Amino acid sequence: MNNVNPDPQSLFIGRDESWLRFNRRVLEEAQDPENPLLERVKFLAITASNLDEFVEIRVAGIMQRIEDGYTEPGFDGLTPRQTLDVVVDSLHNFVRDQYRCWTTDLRPALFNNGVRVLAWGDIDDEPQRAYALDYYQREVDPLLTPITIDPAHPFPRVLNKALCVALLLRRKRKGATGALLGVLTVPRALPRLIPLPSTSGTHDFLFLHDLIEHNAIGMYRGYEILSTTAFRVTRNSNLYFQEEESRSLLDSVRSELHNRRKGDAVRLEIEEGADAEIVDRLRMNFELDDTQVFSTDGPVNLSRLMNLYTDTPRPDLKFKDFLAKELRLHRRSEDLFDELRHHDLMLHHPFDSYDAVVNFIQLGSQDPRVVSMKQTLYRTSSDSPMFHALTEAAQTKEVTVVVELMARFDEASNIRWARNLEDAGVQVFHGIVGLKTHCKLAMLIRHDPDGVTRRYAHLGTGNYNPNTARFYTDISLLTADPEITASVHSVFNYLTAHSESDDYAPLLVAPLTLAESTIRMIHREAEHAAAGRPARIIAKMNSLLEQAVIEALYAASRAGVQIDLIVRGICSLRPGIPGVSDNIRVRSVVGRFLEHSRIFYFANGGEDEVYCGSADWMPRNLFERCEVVFPIRDAQIRNRIRNEILAAYLADTAKSRIEMATGDYPRVRAPEGKCFNAQDFLIRVAEGRDSVDAIPEPAWKPEMVAPAPETTRKSAAPPKKRRRKPAAEKPIAESPETVGTPEAVP
């Protein structure tokens, strides 16, 4: 790059540092008193679930690289050891803030609102105690297996993230010396929070491990219980396997799922105040150092607080329900197919109901004119109506489904889907070895009444999951455009037969054309700016990490292109660097719904282009997955995306944080009485209560941003030029897409 400071730490933010800042933005929502109380609990649970996945994937991956002897700095200038030092320090600070939020803010506020999370010693209601003891005898005790560690009983194999109770024991018999360690695994089949009956109108709960600790004496007769504490171990959950050595990809994944539960320990969580002897014994058993031990000032595993949200029937403490807008066909259209022959349809979920997408698949299954169906499945719900539609269609039609077995933490369910679909007669494929199938495509082939056989397609930014579609923001395009649907057909051939085409236009397909096309379009904007033509980039995505794309954006900024990036999570680009990124603004929107749509707008010299798709600007999306980014050709739909959706997010002053060059994300401070919440606005539009005229000027001034806190950073020597990792190296695994969602809670 010309005229750019070569120091990588001044140009790029490390992905792990950036992710930790994202999770802190989620924690800010838990701390925000403007959010309904139970929604704040939900946000706190999400931060804990996010952190679990980060530790078992990213932290474990960094540790693997250190153990394997890698010392080369990343493109942010930090070696794996330096990265680990920064991450561990941030993790301990974050965990302290999580528990401060629970113990100081949320739990007292819940108590004051009649939602009480009680310790055993706090229960003074005899009927409640009697209920809890009876529940223990009926439901809990039969599932428990007490273990005492001695030469005849070695330490049990503690499963990944399984909650356990450790007990320090002493035999009562005369002459017994020394303390023994006992271990109880808390049954995963039972809820972590036990609802208690209440006659006072409150909603009362008791933690399961608290109930077990109180009754432990009955399982350790002949012992004196000196101390008890809850703990949990997080293990390395990366999946590594040699596909060519396995009979099938499906068998490989099934085998590695078994190994995942037994990976090396990378974190020990244990209750604050636990006996030092218990802590030391556990730490030595799991071969951890002190930095890998996290004391919790509250319940181990805050992600289980999600049960508090789901099991408490208090709508007054949650976001108000809204009614998603149903798709309505033109009065002259005979059916959906007739409508699509005239024009494309776009849906913006969850504001537009996902039922239209489900109905598209069901219609294909039921319509006798549809002769063939094809679909990709990455993640879906356990009771998916689409699954049932596909299995029914297989009885009379040609049905092909590409199931991604390596959708992290959904591997087991996807294996079941694949087997069940095959049993129903569906042709099931698992994509291309070495590439995850992440594109969201469905295609119907139909003999239309006019005698023409046409393709109809759905292309999306989100998974085919009706459940998550209720709280993920995503874009769906329904189309019969001959060029787009022909390209969709070519992509399916690529997935099932590895049949590569020279050109997938108008689609951009990874890993074949997407990266090159993206960078070319960014450079094109720079050329327009240099020539005095309209030049603008607005890009909305989950994460921005690919160095070549960031460098292209820096070059476009220097050429005078105005660039607005709406990046929910990781962003390694530094905005506002003099002479490098002065014209780039980055904002993150974290609110009621998980921002999941990927939208890319290019002014293109006055002939604007809009693309949507499944890919972020990350190496994994551009080079290691099959992704599809599709053009929006309908002018009315382009206008809606630009003037309603993107404009709303750029104008948001309620849930937006603006990234500074330091990597900090202060919240936007709106003038009093002028706060604008993009997600709330889009709800009102869906309900017919608002219009684009209500969107304020999508701009922010420096005085509208809260001052950034002081940050410190460990120094590092400038790295060598970044290179692609050879195939023999073990890459640090990517964090799963479900990060930041209730679905991610284990």
Side-chain angles (χ1 to χ4, degrees):
M1 292 171 57
N2 298 325
N3 304 318
V4 175
N5 187 334
D7 179 4
Q9 285 188 272
S10 67
L11 293 178
F12 306 106
I13 299 171
R15 67 160 295 157
D16 299 303
E17 176 187 351
S18 183
W19 184 92
L20 288 165
R21 292 178 188 271
F22 157 67
N23 208 31
R24 184 160 293 276
R25 296 195 290 278
V26 182
L27 180 59
E28 288 175 4
E29 293 300 309
Q31 297 166 330
D32 188 351
E34 295 297 316
N35 287 325
L37 185 54
L38 283 172
E39 300 291 346
R40 295 172 63 189
V41 173
K42 182 166 122 176
F43 279 117
L44 181 61
I46 291 170
T47 68
S49 176
N50 289 351
L51 206 61
D52 283 349
E53 295 172 355
F54 180 77
V55 169
E56 63 187 319
I57 299 168
R58 291 297 305 173
V59 174
I62 297 169
M63 293 175 64
Q64 283 180 333
R65 292 181 68 79
I66 293 171
E67 292 171 5
D68 291 344
Y70 293 109
T71 58
E72 182 178 338
F75 79 152
D76 62 340
L78 298 182
T79 66
R81 169 53 64 184
Q82 291 169 325
T83 298
L84 185 63
D85 290 343
V86 171
V87 164
V88 167
D89 184 60
S90 297
L91 286 176
H92 280 280
N93 290 331
F94 186 82
V95 169
R96 281 192 289 270
D97 291 343
Q98 280 181 307
Y99 281 92
R100 186 179 299 115
C101 179
W102 170 248
T103 58
T104 304
D105 297 339
L106 297 183
R107 189 180 181 192
L110 288 165
F111 191 93
N112 292 336
N113 280 273
V115 181
R116 306 190 305 171
V117 180
L118 304 172
W120 179 261
D122 296 332
I123 302 177
D124 52 14
D125 183 271
E126 284 305 319
Q128 284 188 333
R129 280 181 172 251
Y131 173 86
L133 291 173
D134 179 66
Y135 179 86
Y136 175 83
Q137 294 298 330
R138 287 185 295 103
E139 304 291 342
V140 183
D141 184 70
L143 302 182
L144 296 174
T145 302
I147 297 174
T148 303
I149 312 303
D150 59 27
H153 301 86
F155 203 98
R157 186 70 193 182
V158 175
L159 298 181
N160 182 34
K161 296 184 294 186
L163 184 64
C164 300
V165 173
L167 307 94
L168 197 61
L169 308 169
R170 179 185 295 141
R171 294 188 185 276
K172 291 181 179 179
R173 70 187 183 200
K174 187 176 180 180
T177 59
L180 300 173
L181 188 66
V183 175
L184 286 165
T185 298
V186 178
R188 289 189 169 188
L190 298 177
R192 290 293 183 266
L193 278 163
I194 305 167
L196 299 175
S198 174
T199 58
S200 59
T202 59
H203 298 278
D204 296 344
F205 298 88
L206 173 68
F207 277 107
L208 177 60
H209 70 83
D210 201 1
L211 180 62
I212 291 174
E213 288 182 46
H214 174 74
N215 289 277
I217 190 64
M219 290 175 285
Y220 287 95
R221 301 186 185 279
Y223 291 91
E224 177 187 359
I225 297 179
L226 305 177
S227 181
T228 66
T229 188
F231 75 92
R232 191 173 71 130
V233 171
T234 306
R235 297 186 178 278
N236 183 337
S237 292
N238 288 319
L239 295 188
Y240 294 113
F241 56 90
Q242 298 298 319
E243 288 143 355
E244 65 274 11
E245 295 178 2
S246 177
R247 183 172 60 84
S248 71
L249 181 60
L250 188 147
D251 290 335
S252 284
V253 175
R254 183 186 291 112
S255 174
E256 286 303 316
L257 282 176
H258 177 72
N259 292 336
R260 169 187 284 172
R261 304 171 70 194
K262 304 184 294 184
D264 293 338
V266 293
R267 177 182 62 172
L268 170 65
E269 297 168 278
I270 192 164
E271 288 179 302
E272 189 173 276
D275 189 286
E277 186 170 353
I278 294 180
V279 177
D280 286 342
R281 290 195 185 191
L282 292 176
R283 183 180 60 79
M284 288 187 291
N285 177 78
F286 296 117
E287 299 179 337
L288 301 172
D289 61 40
D290 290 337
T291 63
Q292 294 171 279
V293 179
F294 290 78
S295 297
T296 67
D297 184 18
V300 174
N301 190 6
L302 288 171
S303 66
R304 292 300 183 179
L305 293 177
M306 187 63 73
N307 296 112
L308 194 63
Y309 175 87
T310 57
D311 295 346
T312 304
R314 288 288 300 274
D316 57 311
L317 300 181
K318 300 179 182 181
F319 288 125
K320 183 181 177 182
D321 288 338
F322 80 98
L323 190 62
K325 184 179 180 180
E326 296 292 340
L327 174 63
R328 293 183 179 178
L329 303 180
H330 191 279
R331 58 185 177 82
R332 294 181 180 177
S333 296
E334 296 180 3
D335 53 29
L336 178 60
F337 299 116
D338 187 22
E339 184 98 2
L340 293 178
R341 288 195 291 273
H342 289 86
H343 62 88
D344 293 349
L345 294 172
M346 188 207 76
L347 304 165
H348 186 204
H349 313 297
F351 316 102
D352 293 324
S353 173
Y354 196 74
D355 288 349
V357 180
V358 175
N359 292 340
F360 177 73
I361 303 300
Q362 291 177 330
L363 186 59
S365 174
Q366 298 163 3
D367 188 339
R369 290 187 176 275
V370 173
V371 295
S372 176
M373 301 175 65
K374 297 183 179 183
Q375 188 172 353
T376 62
L377 287 179
Y378 188 76
R379 302 184 196 275
T380 190
S381 56
S382 59
D383 56 347
S384 172
M386 294 185 181
F387 170 81
H388 298 296
L390 291 168
T391 55
E392 290 175 7
Q395 309 308 310
T396 57
K397 311 173 192 294
E398 295 295 323
V399 180
T400 299
V401 177
V402 181
V403 178
E404 176 49 63
L405 296 181
M406 294 290 288
R408 190 176 296 277
F409 300 115
D410 277 329
E411 297 97 340
S413 62
N414 284 11
I415 288 173
R416 290 194 297 271
W417 285 120
R419 289 299 195 206
N420 291 339
L421 287 167
E422 286 180 333
D423 291 344
V426 175
Q427 296 184 76
V428 176
F429 297 87
H430 304 306
I432 299 169
V433 172
L435 297 177
K436 283 189 177 181
T437 302
H438 190 249
C439 52
K440 326 298 181 183
L441 303 174
M443 185 173 67
L444 311 179
I445 299 175
R446 185 176 191 259
H447 295 321
D448 282 334
D450 59 2
V452 177
T453 299
R454 291 185 178 88
R455 301 183 183 101
Y456 297 84
H458 169 267
L459 303 92
T461 67
N463 299 311
Y464 288 107
N465 189 325
N467 291 340
T468 57
R470 292 183 288 108
F471 46 83
Y472 281 32
T473 71
D474 273 305
I475 298 292
S476 282
L477 178 71
L478 292 167
T479 182
D481 182 301
E483 293 183 349
I484 291 179
T485 56
S487 294
V488 170
H489 177 78
S490 296
V491 172
F492 274 109
N493 288 345
Y494 174 60
L495 291 173
T496 59
H498 205 166
S499 173
E500 293 188 17
S501 171
D502 293 333
D503 188 5
Y504 290 91
L507 303 182
L508 309 179
V509 179
L512 304 173
T513 64
L514 178 56
E516 180 182 352
S517 298
T518 297
I519 292 172
R520 185 176 65 249
M521 288 188 290
I522 295 172
H523 287 326
R524 184 184 62 185
E525 293 303 308
E527 293 170 358
H528 286 311
R533 296 186 292 269
R536 181 82 188 279
I537 297 172
I538 306 173
K540 181 179 183 294
M541 66 198 82
N542 296 339
S543 298
L544 170 56
L545 185 61
E546 172 54 35
Q547 183 175 350
V549 172
I550 295 174
E551 290 175 343
L553 291 168
Y554 285 160
S557 172
R558 295 198 309 275
V561 180
Q562 295 298 314
I563 302 172
D564 283 285
L565 304 175
I566 307 165
V567 186
R568 185 195 81 223
I570 301 166
C571 182
S572 289
L573 179 149
R574 289 187 188 272
I577 303 174
V580 178
S581 55
D582 312 67
N583 293 316
I584 302 177
R585 295 159 295 278
V586 179
R587 66 173 57 224
S588 173
V589 178
V590 178
R592 172 177 182 173
F593 304 118
L594 179 85
E595 291 299 333
H596 193 254
S597 56
R598 288 90 164 186
I599 306 171
F600 309 100
Y601 169 86
F602 300 93
N604 190 28
E607 298 180 6
D608 62 335
E609 294 182 351
V610 176
Y611 291 84
C612 300
S614 58
D616 293 313
W617 286 348
M618 298 182 71
R620 70 178 183 186
N621 299 101
L622 299 174
F623 305 109
E624 300 164 14
R625 293 181 170 188
C626 181
E627 306 273 11
V628 169
V629 172
F630 49 91
I632 302 298
R633 291 181 152 184
D634 185 289
Q636 289 186 338
I637 297 177
R638 284 202 307 273
N639 288 337
R640 181 187 173 194
I641 289 176
R642 173 65 181 87
N643 298 324
E644 177 183 298
I645 299 173
L646 293 178
Y649 287 116
L650 292 177
D652 186 282
T653 53
K655 297 300 180 182
S656 284
R657 284 83 166 170
I658 302 298
E659 184 187 8
M660 314 303 287
T662 59
D664 295 303
Y665 280 82
R667 296 186 78 140
V668 175
R669 285 178 174 171
E672 187 174 352
K674 295 186 178 181
C675 185
F676 179 78
N677 187 313
Q679 293 183 352
D680 285 352
F681 162 77
L682 291 167
I683 288 175
R684 294 195 300 273
V685 170
E687 294 178 338
R689 298 186 290 113
D690 220 330
S691 70
V692 295
D693 296 334
I695 301 177
E697 180 67 24
W700 60 273
K701 302 178 178 63
E703 60 268 22
M704 293 175 64
V705 179
E710 292 289 331
T711 59
T712 58
R713 178 145 187 184
K714 298 182 184 292
S715 61
K720 300 175 184 177
K721 184 175 178 60
R722 182 188 183 228
R723 63 182 175 86
R724 289 275 174 211
K725 292 183 283 290
E729 290 188 20
K730 288 182 178 180
I732 300 176
E734 303 284 359
S735 297
E737 187 180 74
T738 52
V739 164
T741 77
E743 293 297 302
V745 177

